[in-house]
Amino acid sequence: MPLMALSLPKHEYQVRLLFDKCPDTFSPLSSCFCDEIHWIANPCTPVRFRYSPPNYLSRRAAYLHCFHSIIALDALAVSNWLKQGPLRVRNMGRAMGTSTKNDVVATYHGVEVLSAPHLGPNMIINMGLGKYERREVLSALKFIEEGDVVVEMGAGAGLVGAAVAKNCGPEKIISFEANHKLITSINALYEHNGIADKIEVHNQIVISDPEAPRAVDFFIRGNFLGSGMTITKGIERAEKVSVPVVAWATIKEQFKPTVLLMDIEGAELEFFRHADLGDIRVIIAELHRHIYHRPGMREIREGIAAKGFIEDREASGGGVFVFTAV
């Protein structure tokens, strides 16, 4: 992995980047990009530029944020920047470290990813390399077809649903995300990529139990990927919020979905216990064994099979399972 060391003047960071096996580490990126970064990061000529890290980052995290901000620049941006000479670096602080909310920080299966406070540097790198939610998105792109109506439970950053809307030609995607802090950014992502007519997001939790309450508790962690109705770590530091419930029966009646795409951090066990899966032809679900363990996994798989589905064992893996209607 790349290494970096920084000295910190009051208003400027002096950056020295040392790369270890850069061509292998960044093989998905262009060789031009790697060479230019080598040039920028020549250990003999440290680069100085203005950089203001987000105020919630520790000094060590700010170092990494600064580094990842550099390598997250796309090759064309770096190329254009270098044509103006090394002194131009002094004016690149905003492009590198303090992105505005409309900055494109990565491209993910054709979807332009906008800067957002919940996207950390490692996550942005993984998005650009296609590693973010890799199993889930590849299964979705393979099994979702033109004309499908998709219900997505657990939109997260909005990228998996956006990739489906961009590439699969669904009639409609109805997404649900319990974390209210993500909704504005998700809508901005949809608008920016011209898919807002195909996909919509609701700050609700879908419950299949006919006796479900009107709202349920949800725990928001610093890393949104670890948030959920049930969390096994860090609950003392999580923010507990009440999220409105929408009935699965209502969703089915109103939208008539054909595909169920879900990543709801452990709540899938309770959902599948009560869910009517009629008219669904494909289920793509990330299951969380660490929450309900082996008995829960068995119950989910056997319960889905009893409702007329078979598991596609070739497509399933890495915690993501694909079930198709018989």
Side-chain angles (χ1 to χ4, degrees):
M1 287 295 295
L3 303 175
M4 73 182 289
L6 295 166
S7 59
L8 304 174
K10 185 174 182 180
H11 297 299
E12 295 183 337
Y13 286 180
Q14 186 170 5
V15 183
R16 179 171 297 184
L17 305 178
L18 307 176
F19 286 77
D20 177 23
K21 299 181 181 178
C22 183
D24 294 332
T25 304
F26 299 106
S27 56
L29 304 176
S30 70
S31 59
C32 176
F33 184 26
C34 291
D35 290 342
E36 287 165 348
I37 293 296
H38 266 297
W39 183 84
I40 295 167
N42 186 327
C44 298
T45 57
V47 177
R48 185 184 293 272
F49 65 92
R50 294 190 180 278
Y51 173 76
S52 300
N55 57 17
Y56 60 82
L57 293 179
S58 66
R59 173 172 286 196
R60 182 173 182 275
Y63 296 171
L64 297 175
H65 188 276
C66 169
F67 163 69
H68 285 301
S69 295
I70 292 174
I71 66 171
L73 291 171
D74 66 36
L76 180 60
V78 175
S79 177
N80 290 338
W81 163 29
L82 288 176
K83 288 176 183 177
Q84 301 178 54
L87 294 179
R88 180 74 175 110
V89 176
R90 287 184 173 271
N91 300 318
M92 288 298 293
R94 217 168 31 159
M96 288 184 174
T98 56
S99 299
T100 65
K101 66 179 182 179
N102 292 321
D103 285 343
V104 175
V105 295
T107 301
Y108 179 78
H109 295 283
V111 175
E112 291 189 341
V113 183
L114 300 181
S115 174
H118 55 274
L119 300 182
N122 287 334
M123 195 177 297
I124 289 171
I125 295 300
N126 285 332
M127 289 171 179
L129 298 177
K131 294 181 178 180
Y132 173 82
E133 299 290 9
R134 180 177 177 272
R135 284 278 192 174
E136 184 180 349
V137 74
L138 291 181
S139 294
L141 295 177
K142 178 179 178 180
F143 285 91
I144 296 175
E145 299 175 353
E146 186 174 352
D148 270 326
V149 176
V150 182
V151 167
E152 180 187 29
M153 296 169 55
L159 284 175
V160 174
V164 171
K166 193 84 171 177
N167 294 282
C168 298
E171 179 182 328
K172 189 71 177 176
I173 304 177
I174 307 94
S175 295
F176 296 89
E177 173 51 50
N179 187 343
H180 66 279
K181 298 179 180 181
L182 303 179
I183 301 299
T184 299
S185 294
I186 293 172
N187 280 321
L189 177 76
Y190 296 165
E191 289 287 346
H192 175 83
N193 284 279
I195 55 176
D197 59 330
K198 291 185 178 182
I199 184 169
E200 60 190 52
V201 64
H202 303 267
N203 182 214
Q204 296 172 303
I205 290 177
V206 180
I207 302 290
S208 61
D209 188 340
E211 299 181 2
R214 298 181 65 179
V216 294
D217 290 339
F218 185 81
F219 297 90
I220 299 175
R221 296 183 63 186
N223 182 339
F224 73 91
L225 294 174
S227 303
M229 293 172 61
T230 303
I231 59 175
T232 57
K233 295 181 180 179
I235 193 168
E236 67 282 355
R237 298 186 300 275
E239 176 187 353
K240 185 171 78 171
V241 296
S242 180
V243 182
V245 163
V246 59
W248 170 244
T250 301
I251 298 302
K252 280 204 68 191
E253 181 180 357
Q254 182 177 353
F255 297 105
K256 297 178 173 54
T258 58
V259 176
L260 182 56
L261 179 62
M262 60 192 307
D263 182 3
I264 50 177
E265 303 302 323
E268 53 275 355
L269 174 58
E270 187 65 22
F271 176 84
F272 284 122
R273 281 175 174 163
H274 306 281
D276 173 8
L277 301 176
D279 299 323
I280 299 291
R281 65 171 195 84
V282 177
I283 299 168
I284 302 167
E286 183 168 330
L287 304 183
H288 297 82
R289 179 175 175 173
H290 68 284
I291 293 179
Y292 34 72
H293 309 293
R294 185 173 296 176
M297 291 289 293
R298 184 183 305 114
E299 180 181 341
I300 289 175
R301 296 166 82 173
E302 291 178 354
I304 292 176
K307 294 179 181 182
F309 291 79
I310 59 172
E311 180 182 337
D312 188 322
R313 294 186 177 274
E314 184 177 338
S316 300
V320 175
F321 293 79
V322 178
F323 304 90
T324 57
V326 178

